[in-house]
Amino acid sequence: MPGKTCDAIVVGGGSVGVPIAYNLARKGLKVLLLDRRPAVGQGDNKAAIGGMRATHSDPAKIVLCNRGLEEMSRWRETHGVDVGWKPGGYVFPVYDEDLESTLRGLFPIQHEFDLNIDWVDAAAMADLVPGIERQNLRGGTYSPNDGQLSPLKMPVAFQRAAQERGAEFRFNERVTAYEREGGRITGVVTDKGRYSAPVVVVATGADAAADGELLGIDLPVQPDSHEAGITAPVEHFLAPLVVDMRSGPEGKTANFYFGQNDEGQIIFCYTPSELFVGDNREPLSEFLPILASRMITLIPRLRHLLVRRIWRGCYPMTPDGVPIIDKVNEIDGLFLAVGMCGQGFMLGPGVGQEVAALIVDGATSLPEAAHNKVRFDRNFHAASTEALK
Amino acid sequence: MNEKRIQSHPILQPLEGASVEFTFNGKPYHGRPGEMIATALFAAGVSVFGHHHRDQGPQGIFCANGQCSQCTVLADGRAVKSCMVAVRPGMKVESAEGNPPLPLDSAVGNHVRPADVQVPVLVIGGGPAGLCAAIEMAKVGVKVLIIDDKPELGGKLTLQTHGFFGSVADCWAGTRGVDIGYILSDGVEEIDNIEVWTEATAVGVFWDGKVGVSTPDGYKLVTPERILIAMGAREKALAFPGGDLPGVYGAGAFQTLVNRDLVRPTEKLFILGGGNVGLIGGYHALQAGIDVVGLVEGLPECGGYKVHADKLKRLGVPIWTSHTVIKAWGEETLERVTIAQVDERFQPVPGTEQTFEADTLLIAVGLSPVDEILVKAREYGLKVYAAGDSEEVAEASAAIFSGRIMGRKLARDMGVPVEIPEHWEPLAEVLRSKPGKLVTWKPPQISEKIYPVIRCVQEIPCNPCSAACPEGLIKMEGIMGLPEYEGDCLGCANCVSRCPGLAINLVCEDYDPDGKLALLILPFEFGDEMIRLGGEVRTVDMDGEPVGMGRVIAVRERPDQDRRRLLMLEVPFAERTRVSGFLVRKDSELVDKALPSEDEDPIVCRCERVRKSEIVREIRAGVRDVNQLKALVRPTMGGCGGKTCGELLLRIFREEGVDLADVSPSTNRPLVAEIPLGAFSEKEVDDAR
């Protein structure tokens, strides 16, 4: 098959790749997006629970998510397309002094990078989370500008917006080689064809390490998996997403989080204390009993929710828990947007803007301190800076 | 209050009175102890249980089997499937108007880890296949756990009031399905090695090889060495305008309400589908005193047994082949049905529309295996087997055999030396076979005092007539053969009362000394209200065509004849071999005008109220991945998880000219039934599972 030429190839059509394609097309580039799956968002994107928070302690993530929130909360106005946006913020309810001081200790850096977050007392927390266990509740943090979106609707919305701007999407097509000439990337080969472009972006989520091998660079991305579930819809009663940072008495959960989406469904997930390393996405029997006891202990009325479906998705982790969003110095024209550490969905729109800036403007759009955190040439084994992984 | 309860039935015993007081939307009602909320509401004439949150569409019963969520109501403030939760004294039931509120509740939970249960064999499904398999395994010492989501074992056998086909020697042919259910559940009770959990719902199989089971005693994780899936089948759906109205539902739901619960959910029934399920449903309706306005079948011939179709025709039910329902009409519930002829490509022929009044439309357009857990267990490499409809959809007699064979195979795989008799596999094949060729029926040329007229003209697996004749005068080649009478009839009428198809009657030629009249002895499975002794009736031939007039002389009961009576009908001598029955219902009346309706865009996904136009729009926009279709417009994303619309979606792709090879299939995940979060961890589990 004769090579096809375009300005930029994006490999990976998930939470990160599709916004990148959109932002590049918006800046006038002729973009081709390739994905081995049959449609956009069919990898771990759709395993996300849909929370979008700028409530992080890492500056880059705060800035990227603030930008994403700005864009997504207005998507319907701008594009006339529903992406399931539901405002309501994030709360981290707190029951012990240590956690209170940890979370309060993050406020300076969070405020420095313009995160709207503050402490609310127990009564205010109980108003935000109706039915929450009041015993020992000290209050918690509340970041009202955070919100949620539909992981099902968002990637298609970006895809269609990109297509309107001339981007081409090809599915069921696996990249088998990256082509280089000297120190430059020149295109990719797939199981169906060959495509040339001076710019290639790798946004392959949990598969990133394999792309690193094809490229001959070490991409330190290792997936582990998390389970999630969703219930039948109920009348809206819960505005914010809730993160309970405590580890569970059963010894299996490091924290858990949930929210009510725009459909009225409660969608939930936990972080296991002992990680399930690898990319197995099949559900395990222990998930529901453990999560049920944790959720009902926090909010007893949740016992009446009808559980509809569960699934497992991957967190593409980097050693320091911070993404890689950068050009590759050794290979001209090669850009990376990988290692989102389970936050690809909430980071994606902001990452799309940043990668387009890196490619088209030739410079980062982030404050330098933030950009340094996500550089590919950083020391991945320095002490982690992210308290709210 | 209880006018919708069936007080007398030719086959079933009336149930005890409704003594449980509850309220629905503030008004007092009565249900029977242990009765499901949906049934108690139907018994009181309530068939609209709420309105959908998306478009306020009225919601009623659909599967009556815990598989969908159409019948959701609020019971004491909690959203429950009304077909699966029993009424309790003082229960406050409310219609589900939009998304249900989450009740306030601050009770501290008593959380326990789910019980871990190790078993050699887990049988999921306590119907004919599962019970037979379990019995075979238990007999040779294999320990079995049977789980079933209903309070009683027997599966769909409990709904089958008619005599079964098949082989008398091997699977109780001639016995009513409901009684076979009792035989099998008694068999399970009498044998060691079988543990039974009823009201136990398998919610899914997990990657770690455990099966999650929600039970009244809490959530359990069963680790079986081997799993047998015997979960039966579910009804296929069709999408047509108005098909989502309350009053349009599956034939299984109808049989549940009528034959299990003895409730008369309808006055005027229409049936879509001429397979055995639809045909038998029509007969059951007539037995319950429900008028059957008509039945349509899309193919040129009914797919069910001819004897079942003949029964309906003889009773006066019109059957239109090469016809389909093009529209269901009504405001809150079904009021009218419009049918039309279809061409060879199943497209309605303009100008052939006919509209009838009907308050209920049964959808009986075939069955699909319930195989979600089977598919996953295979994917996970577990040792899993399937029997009955979960393996291959066929008659219940085939499920019995399939269960027996699979039970023994399973025992053998576990190292227990047990033989599978050589004739079992071929017999199972025969029992699974579709009806064979039709021959033209010819009136017998016999001149005896008394003799049988056998109107059995289609090869089906069935032999009770030949087994019933004490003189062995009815011969057939194998159970697929056609019976032939050889002469010298004693007149015992055993064949009349045993033929499951009601296709045999006796002719007494020496009834009238003047030779002007003959007496027919016909099988009769209706109540006395259908006839008047000495009264005249309009006689029909085997296809329901009018013959003349006859007179009912007597109805005889014989205790050995299992609720089938013998009716003596006097007919003109010349018509003695033509008459095969008499009409019990009036002609169906056409309605001039259909109700006005703008709704021409059928609902495809009932749970999420997704219309066909939305799906077509996305397919035309280039969507070729069912998962993406789900993400965009939400078909299969509701309570039933695509059990109803999953196949319809593929049909729409085909209609749009898309090769299904280019369509990426849907990913299916647990749970297979919605379960309250509390049921997974709490000791005190409410019954709102």
Side-chain angles (χ1 to χ4, degrees), chain B residues 35-39 49 61-69 71-73 80-86 150-151 256-257 260-261:
Chain B
E35 180 168 74
M36 300 305 156
I37 297 168
T39 303
F49 294 173
I61 209 158
F62 184 62
C63 77
N65 194 26
Q67 298 276 307
C68 73
S69 300
C71 68
T72 297
V73 295
V80 299
K81 292 175 186 176
S82 62
C83 73
M84 293 295 278
V85 174
K150 302 293 182 315
T256 302
L257 289 169
R260 185 191 71 184
D261 300 340

Side-chain angles (χ1 to χ4, degrees), chain A residues 38-40 42 46 131 133 150 152-153 156 159-160 172 227 231-235 237 252 263-265 268 280-286 288-297 299-312, chain B residues 53-54 78-79 99-109 111 114 206-208 210 219 221 376 379-380 608 618 621 623 625 627-628 631-632 634 636-639 641 664 667 669-671 673-678 680-682 686 688:
Chain A
V40 289
Q42 295 305 315
K46 66 179 181 184
E133 173 57 50
S150 163
L152 304 175
K153 290 177 179 162
V156 192
Q159 176 192 5
R160 291 185 173 174
N172 294 313
E227 273 186 89
T231 70
V234 292
E235 210 171 74
F237 75 100
K252 295 272 194 176
E263 296 281 343
Q265 299 174 282
F268 50 84
N280 185 343
R281 292 180 177 84
E282 298 301 328
L284 298 172
S285 65
E286 66 177 45
L288 278 170
I290 289 172
L291 201 70
S293 69
R294 291 224 59 188
M295 285 174 64
I296 295 165
T297 302
I299 307 178
R301 68 197 297 205
L302 298 183
R303 61 164 60 90
H304 302 298
L305 290 166
L306 295 171
V307 180
R308 180 172 284 178
R309 219 83 67 216
I310 62 169
W311 61 88
R312 195 141 70 107
Chain B
H53 68 273
R54 214 171 282 287
R78 289 164 309 171
N99 280 336
L102 190 65
L104 287 172
D105 181 349
S106 54
V108 175
H111 297 282
F206 300 96
W207 188 76
D208 45 18
K210 295 182 185 192
Y219 185 62
L221 288 171
K376 280 289 164 194
E379 202 181 303
Y380 298 160
E608 291 286 324
E618 297 302 339
V623 170
D625 177 15
N627 288 320
Q628 189 176 27
L632 283 162
R634 297 186 67 79
T636 82
M637 301 290 278
S664 301
T667 307
R669 300 273 181 215
L671 310 180
E674 291 180 340
I675 303 292
L677 188 64
F680 290 99
S681 68
E682 295 196 271
D686 58 53

Side-chain angles (χ1 to χ4, degrees), chain B residues 341-621:
Chain B
Q341 198 182 325
V342 293
D343 60 22
E344 58 283 356
R345 289 155 67 206
F346 299 103
Q347 296 304 305
V349 178
T352 63
E353 298 85 359
Q354 302 181 76
T355 299
F356 297 91
E357 282 193 359
D359 61 20
T360 300
L361 172 63
L362 293 197
I363 307 296
V365 293
L367 300 169
S368 310
V370 174
D371 62 0
E372 290 80 14
I373 295 181
L374 174 68
V375 168
K376 280 289 164 194
R378 281 188 178 145
E379 202 181 303
Y380 298 160
L382 305 178
K383 289 173 182 158
V384 64
Y385 303 73
D389 281 354
S390 290
E391 182 191 20
E392 183 182 343
V393 171
E395 292 299 306
S397 51
I400 288 171
F401 250 83
S402 150
R404 282 186 186 150
I405 292 170
M406 210 47 83
R408 290 207 180 182
K409 272 189 187 163
L410 215 155
R412 220 161 52 177
D413 289 354
M414 297 187 81
V416 181
V418 53
E419 254 189 58
I420 298 172
E422 263 179 34
H423 76 286
W424 279 18
E425 286 277 10
L427 183 59
E429 268 314 302
V430 168
L431 292 172
R432 270 196 281 264
S433 41
K434 301 261 178 279
K437 61 174 194 288
L438 281 169
V439 298
T440 309
W441 181 77
K442 291 195 195 88
Q445 305 293 322
I446 302 171
S447 153
E448 292 178 45
K449 285 182 186 171
I450 192 162
Y451 56 86
V453 177
I454 303 176
R455 293 180 176 81
C456 184
V457 294
Q458 185 182 38
E459 290 177 352
I460 54 175
C462 187
N463 69 2
C465 60
S466 114
C469 182
E471 298 289 303
L473 304 176
I474 300 177
K475 294 275 193 317
M476 57 197 301
E477 275 183 42
I479 64 167
M480 288 295 277
L482 296 179
E484 284 188 29
Y485 166 65
E486 294 198 324
D488 288 330
C489 174
L490 293 176
C492 71
N494 281 0
C495 55
V496 179
S497 53
R498 292 276 184 267
C499 169
L502 283 79
I504 306 179
N505 64 270
L506 297 188
V507 175
C508 309
E509 294 205 343
D510 63 348
Y511 170 68
D512 177 14
D514 297 337
K516 290 182 180 161
L517 298 169
L519 187 74
L520 305 186
I521 300 175
L522 297 163
F524 187 66
E525 293 188 326
F526 287 90
D528 290 335
E529 69 280 359
M530 301 289 261
I531 44 159
R532 192 164 54 82
L533 287 188
E536 291 228 302
V537 290
R538 292 185 293 158
T539 58
V540 290
D541 69 8
M542 72 182 285
D543 293 317
E545 295 299 323
V547 177
M549 301 302 285
R551 202 157 63 90
V552 177
I553 301 299
V555 179
R556 297 271 159 77
E557 296 201 35
R558 285 197 344 204
D560 61 320
Q561 283 174 335
D562 190 24
R563 290 155 281 171
R564 183 184 293 172
R565 301 190 289 175
L566 299 178
L567 182 139
M568 314 293 158
L569 184 70
E570 189 183 88
V571 297
F573 191 82
E575 295 167 3
R576 67 196 183 284
T577 56
R578 248 192 99 197
V579 171
S580 77
F582 55 90
L583 297 174
V584 300
R585 66 176 296 278
K586 293 188 210 130
D587 289 344
S588 300
E589 282 172 37
L590 277 171
V591 179
D592 288 344
K593 270 190 174 170
L595 298 174
S597 165
E598 295 160 5
D599 188 2
E600 294 295 336
D601 187 9
I603 296 272
V604 175
C605 169
R606 305 172 64 101
C607 301
E608 291 286 324
R609 304 287 291 177
V610 185
R611 291 183 184 270
K612 187 172 179 183
S613 62
E614 299 175 79
I615 291 159
V616 167
R617 182 188 71 214
E618 297 302 339
I619 293 173
R620 290 183 186 169

